[in-house]
Amino acid sequence: MKSRREYFESRKMLMIGSRVCYGISIMLLMFCMVMTSGFATVAVIIALLMLGGIMCSLYAGRQKEFLFCPKCGSKNIVKKGFLGVPSSIAEECPDCHAKLELNKPVNKD
């Protein structure tokens, strides 16, 4: 299995990817309001971007299950940044102050 650091990094990349897909689709939707033709092409691109964003969000949600303190079960070890994207992971649990081994596989705890 992967380590907590790997789960953190993959969750971070998936959430950034989903936010990028959502942002591009919103810009294309605004661009579509000004266009006079070619709606079908833009609509298909928007649908594919939204599908990509949703899939990234779903996979990022699965990565969240492994980001907790093995001693007390606290989920406060990950700090969130802009738009809810994880910004950092703590080396020490903020609740029980246990040292976390972030590079150790999660099934070895």
Side-chain angles (χ1 to χ4, degrees):
M1 292 200 69
K2 297 192 298 185
S3 67
R4 281 189 174 74
R5 188 174 307 278
E6 291 170 341
Y7 278 115
F8 170 76
E9 293 296 331
S10 62
R11 177 174 165 77
K12 184 177 181 179
M13 288 295 119
L14 285 168
M15 289 185 76
I16 289 172
S18 71
R19 299 316 192 261
V20 167
C21 287
Y22 293 148
I24 293 173
S25 64
I26 288 172
M27 283 194 274
L28 281 176
L29 184 64
M30 287 189 273
F31 178 69
C32 187
M33 300 290 182
V34 193
M35 290 178 46
T36 57
S37 63
F39 293 114
T41 306
V42 175
V44 168
I45 293 171
I46 290 172
L48 290 174
L49 283 170
M50 291 299 284
L51 179 68
I54 291 169
M55 294 302 291
C56 285
S57 294
L58 288 175
Y59 286 127
R62 288 185 179 184
Q63 304 290 324
K64 187 178 182 179
E65 297 174 7
F66 298 104
L67 297 174
F68 64 92
C69 174
K71 186 175 179 185
C72 67
S74 172
K75 297 202 181 257
N76 295 332
I77 64 170
V78 176
K79 293 181 181 155
K80 295 180 182 174
F82 183 64
L83 294 176
V85 176
S87 61
S88 65
I89 187 166
E91 297 281 336
E92 182 179 302
C93 178
D95 295 333
C96 68
H97 302 291
K99 180 162 174 29
L100 300 172
E101 295 184 33
L102 299 177
N103 295 323
K104 186 175 163 183
V106 292
N107 61 349
K108 303 285 183 186
D109 287 334

